[in-house]
Amino acid sequence: MRLEFRVLGPLRARCDGREVDLGRPQQRAVLAALLLAPGQLVPTDRLVEGLWGEDDTRWPKDPAGQIGTHVHRLRRALGGPGLLVAAAGGYRLAAPREAVDLFRYEGTVTEAVALRHRDPARAREALAAALGAWEGVRALDGVPGPFAERTRERLAAGRLAVEKTLLDLNLALGRHADAVEPLAGLAAAHPQDEEVHRLHLLALYRCGRTAEALAAYEALRERLDRELGLEPAQAVVELAERIRRGETPVLLRRLPRPGQLPPDIPDLVGRAGLVRRAEQALRAAGGPPGGESSPVVGLSGPAGCGASALAVHVGHAVQDAFPDGQLYASGGEADAVLAGFLRALGERPAGSAPIGELTAHYRAALAGRRVLVVLDEVADPTPLLPAVSGCAAVVTGAAPEMLPAEAVRLTVGPLEPNDAHELLARIVGVERISREPAAVTELAGLCGHLPVLLRTAATRLAARPRWSVADLVRWLAERG
């Protein structure tokens, strides 16, 4: 039995070439949530919230029962034993990722962007083919519920990024006449998107319409000043100046490559297994199309366990898999962090934009790039997760419900005694530590074998060469 699903437009399913009747809109909403996590368990409560929202006063009398009814009807419609199963408080659709048009589309986009500077002609063909997979302009068209709406917003932002990249490539390949009208339409639909306007100015100029290009620039400058109190971005200003001087503008815009990770800790010990598991999960983002689209690794543990240092270390270890950069945030509110990330990615967010709009722009800016996001103790990491193919995230200190169901969750505990001794020896010196094994064991116990406390104690001891380990133990004991 061959199943195919389409979400890039109206939700549709075909079985061995035959169109499947997917039933009522709410039934389709349940299928949509399962399709976007193929092969993964989707908890019932997540399906309930995705269909009726988080406000339980708006839920029907028996929401879980209604979800079960929808699943039962979908199972009958799709056929195939074992395709749609109930397990551990949720449901799983055992469909391969390649059966869903969205994942094939994202894989093609990832391949195309990788070719963008090396072989722009092939990249253009691939992006045009990817956009050809859409039926209409709205994903999950007609599917109700907050989950479907959020997905529509995310995919619309990603599609805009792909359209801009395709038009940029058209200009680089000399297809200016083909790009003018589509860019005019995008500029009208997105009046504050300065990258669209930059491309439109360039297309007009390349078609010999210099006066129109400069008039469009002046209109943009006046609108930004009136609505946002801003001047156009430097790239747009520089393009307008080149056009005025009759110079040849640069065609392909080089995107910024953020490198925000703090320095790695050279003496990380006792975490090799955790590092290996985190690396394996994160590198799936840089694998061939059809793998995990946006892996998330969550690190959690008691205060002082060193989860923050481990997150940074892992980020450095996988830098080669994310050649388009690394974003990092420690603490802070999601909207402020989003604005900073957008600036690092070469965008300029409006100061008054709501967080939903910022998130959509953020994911559009990440579309087609391979970027790692490290979030350390950020209050609400959800809007900051990349959720686009080719990117990944490491998150510390997040409550379990803040992470996607498919996130890899790793517990960071105290160090083993031998590892605690090794950490002390690396900072204080092997000779001093080996002279007092009993005192070292006592010191490690006083620190709870926690790396942060061990590091603090070792730094204090290293700064006092005349102290013995026993002296430090007595000093710590006196202070409780």
Side-chain angles (χ1 to χ4, degrees):
M1 181 177 69
R2 176 181 170 82
L3 278 168
E4 298 176 84
F5 299 95
R6 300 189 66 88
V7 300
L8 301 177
L11 180 61
R12 295 170 52 195
R14 296 179 70 84
C15 178
D16 293 331
R18 173 183 57 84
E19 194 80 20
V20 176
D21 182 1
L22 297 176
R24 300 173 181 175
Q26 289 189 344
Q27 196 166 300
R28 292 168 175 265
V30 172
L31 177 60
L34 295 169
L35 276 176
L36 267 68
Q40 300 172 21
L41 180 72
V42 181
T44 302
D45 56 0
R46 190 163 144 201
L47 293 171
V48 169
E49 291 181 358
L51 187 50
W52 293 292
E54 296 181 1
D55 183 357
D56 58 7
T57 63
R58 296 173 178 249
W59 293 357
K61 185 175 181 181
D62 181 16
Q66 289 205 23
I67 295 293
T69 299
H70 293 319
V71 168
H72 174 70
R73 290 173 176 165
L74 284 169
R75 191 181 288 123
R76 284 195 307 177
L78 295 171
L83 179 65
L84 181 49
V85 297
Y91 299 92
R92 178 184 292 110
L93 181 67
R97 291 172 65 87
E98 57 269 20
V100 185
D101 63 346
L102 169 62
F103 300 115
R104 297 195 301 272
Y105 162 79
E106 289 182 337
T108 302
V109 169
T110 299
E111 286 184 299
V113 172
L115 289 169
R116 182 180 180 185
H117 294 289
R118 189 169 69 251
D119 192 340
R122 280 179 59 200
R124 182 201 168 277
E125 290 176 7
L127 288 180
L131 288 171
W134 284 74
E135 293 185 348
V137 296
R138 279 168 53 89
L140 297 175
D141 201 5
V143 177
F147 173 81
E149 187 56 38
R150 289 194 301 270
T151 302
R152 267 191 291 274
E153 291 175 0
R154 174 174 68 84
L155 295 180
R159 176 173 175 162
L160 174 60
V162 172
E163 289 175 334
K164 288 193 289 188
T165 303
L166 175 60
L167 291 165
D168 197 359
L169 286 168
N170 277 341
L171 296 179
L173 293 166
R175 304 171 67 111
H176 318 299
D178 294 341
V180 168
E181 291 309 314
L183 281 168
L186 280 184
H190 303 277
Q192 293 181 1
D193 190 318
E194 293 173 86
E195 178 61 7
V196 168
H197 287 277
R198 185 187 75 85
L199 295 174
H200 187 215
L201 298 183
L202 185 54
L204 288 170
Y205 176 66
R206 284 290 178 175
C207 289
R209 296 158 65 175
T210 302
E212 289 179 65
L214 292 174
Y217 170 74
E218 289 302 324
L220 172 67
R221 188 179 62 78
E222 291 173 8
R223 183 169 60 254
L224 290 175
D225 181 54
R226 182 177 65 253
E227 296 177 0
L228 302 176
L230 295 173
E231 287 292 315
Q234 187 62 31
V236 182
V237 173
E238 289 177 0
L239 174 60
E241 290 301 319
R242 284 176 174 270
I243 290 173
R244 284 195 181 96
R245 294 194 298 265
E247 297 176 0
T248 303
V250 177
L251 294 181
L252 276 175
R253 178 192 177 203
R254 294 285 177 174
L255 297 174
R257 183 184 180 278
Q260 297 185 339
L261 285 179
D264 196 4
I265 291 179
D267 50 18
L268 191 79
V269 299
R271 303 304 192 197
L274 290 172
V275 171
R276 192 160 49 247
R277 291 167 64 190
E279 273 203 65
Q280 184 179 18
L282 295 169
R283 288 185 182 280
E292 290 293 332
S293 62
S294 184
V296 176
V297 172
L299 304 176
S300 62
C305 69
S308 299
L310 179 59
V312 171
H313 178 80
V314 168
H316 282 279
V318 298
Q319 279 190 87
D320 61 299
F322 300 94
D324 296 316
Q326 302 83 40
L327 297 167
Y328 173 83
S330 178
E333 296 299 322
D335 53 354
V337 175
L338 271 173
F341 280 2
L342 281 166
R343 287 191 290 270
L345 292 166
E347 305 292 327
R348 191 166 63 173
S352 58
I355 192 164
E357 182 178 327
L358 289 174
T359 301
H361 281 299
Y362 167 61
R363 289 172 179 164
L366 289 174
R369 301 199 219 185
R370 289 183 173 175
V371 174
L372 177 69
V373 181
V374 179
L375 305 173
D376 182 25
E377 300 287 344
V378 174
D380 180 10
T382 306
L384 299 161
L385 299 178
V388 295
S389 179
C391 296
V394 182
V395 183
T396 73
E401 63 273 13
M402 292 285 192
L403 298 179
E406 63 276 12
V408 175
R409 293 169 168 81
L410 302 177
T411 300
V412 187
L415 293 175
E416 294 295 326
N418 288 342
D419 293 325
H421 285 219
E422 182 182 347
L423 177 57
L424 291 169
R426 288 191 182 191
I427 299 173
V428 179
V430 174
E431 185 179 348
R432 288 180 73 186
I433 293 302
S434 62
R435 282 201 300 257
E436 303 175 81
V440 169
T441 298
E442 189 175 358
L443 176 61
L446 284 173
C447 295
H449 295 86
L450 293 169
V452 172
L453 299 183
L454 286 164
R455 195 180 304 280
T456 301
T459 302
R460 183 179 296 276
L461 190 58
R464 294 164 173 79
R466 295 184 179 180
W467 278 24
S468 66
V469 178
D471 290 335
L472 178 60
V473 169
R474 282 193 295 272
W475 185 86
L476 291 172
E478 288 171 1
R479 283 154 180 78

